[in-house]
Amino acid sequence: CYFLWSASYDGECTVTRHDGDEINTCTRPLLEEGQEIFIRYNEAIPMLRRITEYKEPSFSEVVSANDPFGFDVREKGSMKRKKPEFNPYGPFEGSCHFYYNGWRKDGVGHISKSSVRRNEDWIGKYKVLIPKAWGVGNPATDRVSPFIVEPNSCNTETYLVVGPFDCKEEAENSISYMETRFFHFFVSMIKNTQNTMQKAYSFVPIQDFSEEWTDTKLFEKYGFTSSEIEIIESMIWPEGGADE
């Protein structure tokens, strides 16, 4: 990206995006009203404006900040991390399930609830965990991989928490939403690296998680046109690769 900038100018900008041989030019504000992030895709602006009219809260409000349970502790006078002391062999009195980087290979650990430094009230609820780093910044192929952890659990800074939820059904429905192309499209407006912290979900509108969500249902809700749907489907490939 580059900008031709004049300190004395205050108005709309001509934004040109090159995608291979395709050139898309649009005259629009450099920043959308109330936003702090420049959106690369001209094609996305009308869709973002439409969902903004619904005045729904942002999905980022149900995504935790980094290190949701406070296990990112450094050695005194150093940036070296102190590894949490957990039991890899099984539960013990006063413990909860512990999800860490490597648990799929070595098994879920167990750690004392007293070692949790923040959000202790989340331990007893259903949670959806998502990696804080996923993909490579390619909107076509990047896919978040959410999974549910049941009550009596916590995790390291490897994961962010979505929720928490009072029942498993709500957690499952939140995953159905996160698996849509609609969801990934609005994440892609901010995400351009592997790291995907809370702020990356700012443009994603929240939904009612008492029900399941699909792309068809979302496109109908927000009145997306066939050409807008084609834009999303061209930019966000389905799971497994590009459409035939």
Side-chain angles (χ1 to χ4, degrees):
C1 295
Y2 70 89
F3 299 85
L4 300 178
W5 178 72
S6 170
S8 62
Y9 180 76
D10 182 16
E12 293 193 331
C13 305
T14 300
V15 180
T16 302
R17 189 172 78 91
H18 296 257
D19 184 5
D21 294 331
E22 295 184 12
I23 299 176
N24 182 289
T25 299
C26 177
T27 300
R28 59 182 174 92
L30 186 65
L31 298 177
E32 288 297 292
E33 185 177 356
Q35 305 297 340
E36 300 177 349
I37 297 172
F38 172 71
I39 298 169
R40 303 187 299 280
Y41 309 114
N42 290 328
E43 306 92 327
I45 299 298
M47 289 180 269
L48 178 62
R49 290 175 179 173
R50 189 173 310 127
I51 67 168
T52 302
E53 291 174 357
Y54 282 72
K55 300 188 183 304
E56 295 168 319
S58 167
F59 188 81
S60 63
E61 294 185 16
V62 294
V63 178
S64 74
N66 186 38
D67 190 27
F69 292 100
F71 288 109
D72 187 5
V73 179
R74 310 302 171 109
E75 293 183 2
K76 188 175 181 180
S78 169
M79 289 302 293
K80 185 178 180 181
R81 282 190 173 93
K82 292 176 65 175
K83 292 185 177 180
E85 296 181 3
F86 66 93
N87 187 344
Y89 305 111
F92 55 90
E93 186 175 351
S95 71
C96 61
H97 301 299
F98 185 62
Y99 292 85
Y100 57 97
N101 185 24
W103 72 269
R104 294 185 187 277
K105 176 185 175 184
D106 299 326
V108 177
H110 293 82
I111 198 165
S112 173
K113 294 178 184 177
S114 62
S115 64
V116 172
R117 296 157 58 92
R118 60 173 70 120
N119 297 318
E120 295 94 336
D121 55 321
W122 291 6
I123 295 174
K125 296 190 175 185
Y126 286 94
K127 297 170 285 291
V128 174
L129 301 191
I130 54 176
K132 72 173 183 180
W134 53 274
V136 294
N138 181 350
T141 57
D142 284 359
R143 283 292 179 279
V144 66
S145 300
F147 62 95
I148 295 173
V149 294
E150 297 190 348
N152 199 38
S153 60
C154 64
N155 56 273
T156 65
E157 75 281 357
T158 296
Y159 300 103
L160 305 181
V161 170
V162 177
F165 301 99
D166 292 325
C167 66
K168 190 173 183 179
E169 182 182 10
E170 288 184 337
E172 290 171 340
N173 290 337
S174 75
I175 287 181
S176 73
Y177 183 45
M178 285 186 274
E179 289 177 339
T180 63
R181 289 162 116 171
F182 174 96
F183 178 90
H184 284 86
F185 177 74
F186 286 101
V187 170
S188 74
M189 293 187 197
I190 297 176
K191 175 180 169 64
N192 58 11
T193 65
Q194 187 180 43
N195 281 333
T196 316
M197 300 301 189
Q198 183 185 51
K199 190 174 183 178
Y201 303 93
S202 298
F203 289 156
V204 181
I206 206 165
Q207 305 299 330
D208 178 0
F209 295 131
S210 67
E211 53 184 298
E212 188 177 2
W213 292 94
T214 64
D215 276 314
T216 299
K217 197 171 179 179
L218 291 161
F219 295 152
E220 289 178 355
K221 173 181 174 179
Y222 294 103
F224 283 6
T225 65
S226 57
S227 60
E228 289 172 333
I229 294 171
E230 287 177 6
I231 290 170
I232 293 176
E233 292 180 343
S234 68
M235 290 179 57
I236 311 296
W237 294 354
E239 195 74 41
D243 287 328
E244 294 295 332

